[in-house]
Amino acid sequence: MTTALPSPRVLPHPTRDEIRLESVLHALSDPVRMRIVSELADAEAVLSCSRFDLPVSKSTTTHHFRVLRESGVVQQVYEGTAKMNGLRRDDLDALFPGLLDALLTAARHQGARDAL
Amino acid sequence: MTTALPSPRVLPHPTRDEIRLESVLHALSDPVRMRIVSELADAEAVLSCSRFDLPVSKSTTTHHFRVLRESGVVQQVYEGTAKMNGLRRDDLDALFPGLLDALLTAARHQGARDAL
DNA sequence: ACCGTACTACGACGGCTATCGTACGAGTCG
DNA sequence: CGACTCGTACGATAGCCGTCGTAGTACGGT
């Protein structure tokens, strides 16, 4: 039987035109979230939340993924029990050409500096 | 006559290697501050604080300029009663190549979209 | 039916932030 | 000196944010 209730198995995303630069920058101004995005970009694939080894609790992880989704940086889809995450590269590149790549490069450079 | 003492009129800035990507992104995630930076980039010059027409009080303006300075985005120097602000383009470009331009372009694009 | 895994919802807590007004200091010009 | 401009400091306030733990739901396998 199909559940009558509107089970929130579908996650709300901003459309492309609803994505705001401020929100994207705010989302990426947290190191944990920037790390998620970097790993996602490196993987060039869709990853489940649990594939990330983050220095925070599970609740906090959920929170960070939601911020990334609501700001339009990632797309999330349920696949069984897992929630798969993908970078919204097309939308971001269309809206802010070159920005994502510059951010990823910047994060990588800073990571290299910190490792010294 | 040249002042002998390092007067308290000198403002603390982060050195180039102290500039953090997170801090820069956080600084730019506020619309008022992004606007300041955009105007500064357009002017390609050093501007006094009062040259900006911002939708906030004077206290708040001071606050925003301090955030920009402490994050390493702008440089501030007293010149008489005025405080002159300059974009730290060299440092930012050296640390995060292409990032500043991508951000400025993104802000301009979004501004154009909003104007419709 | 049961259990384990994956993620969420909720409430709490401490800290930061954007905002303001008022009062003040520093410099310039008459 | 006095008046004026530019910017600061301080205190207050309201709201958001990152963090957590606990309790709970959804799904898949045994």
Side-chain angles (χ1 to χ4, degrees), chain A residues 1-81:
Chain A
M1 148 180 185
T2 56
T3 45
L5 282 182
S7 68
R9 296 271 83 195
V10 173
L11 300 153
H13 290 77
T15 65
R16 180 183 286 191
D17 358 330
E18 283 168 355
I19 297 179
R20 303 290 309 169
L21 178 58
E22 314 88 86
S23 307
V24 171
L25 295 184
H26 170 249
L28 265 23
S29 72
D30 183 290
V32 175
R33 291 193 290 258
M34 182 49 115
R35 178 164 155 182
I36 292 174
V37 171
S38 295
E39 290 189 26
L40 222 38
D42 286 349
E44 288 184 2
V46 168
L47 297 179
S48 76
C49 291
S50 53
R51 293 276 285 267
F52 296 84
D53 185 30
L54 301 173
V56 293
S57 78
K58 227 148 55 124
S59 316
T60 307
T61 300
T62 297
H63 164 69
H64 284 310
F65 274 105
R66 181 170 48 223
V67 172
L68 287 171
R69 169 170 48 82
E70 290 179 346
S71 65
V73 177
V74 306
Q75 197 193 16
Q76 298 190 298
V77 176
Y78 279 105
E79 207 156 291
T81 69

Side-chain angles (χ1 to χ4, degrees), chain B residues 8-25:
Chain B
R9 304 259 77 200
V10 173
L11 300 151
H13 290 77
T15 64
R16 180 183 285 190
D17 357 332
E18 282 167 356
I19 297 179
R20 303 291 307 171
L21 178 58
E22 313 88 84
S23 307
V24 171
L25 295 183

Side-chain angles (χ1 to χ4, degrees), chain B residues 47-79:
Chain B
L47 296 180
S48 75
C49 292
S50 54
R51 292 275 286 266
F52 296 84
D53 185 32
L54 302 173
V56 293
S57 76
K58 230 161 34 142
S59 316
T60 307
T61 300
T62 297
H63 163 69
H64 284 310
F65 274 105
R66 181 171 48 224
V67 172
L68 286 172
R69 171 170 47 82
E70 290 179 347
S71 65
V73 176
V74 306
Q75 197 193 16
Q76 297 190 298
V77 176
Y78 279 107
E79 208 158 291

Side-chain angles (χ1 to χ4, degrees), chain B residues 94-108:
Chain B
L95 285 171
F96 313 124
L99 180 59
L100 184 57
D101 283 331
L103 286 167
L104 291 169
T105 304
R108 195 161 37 235

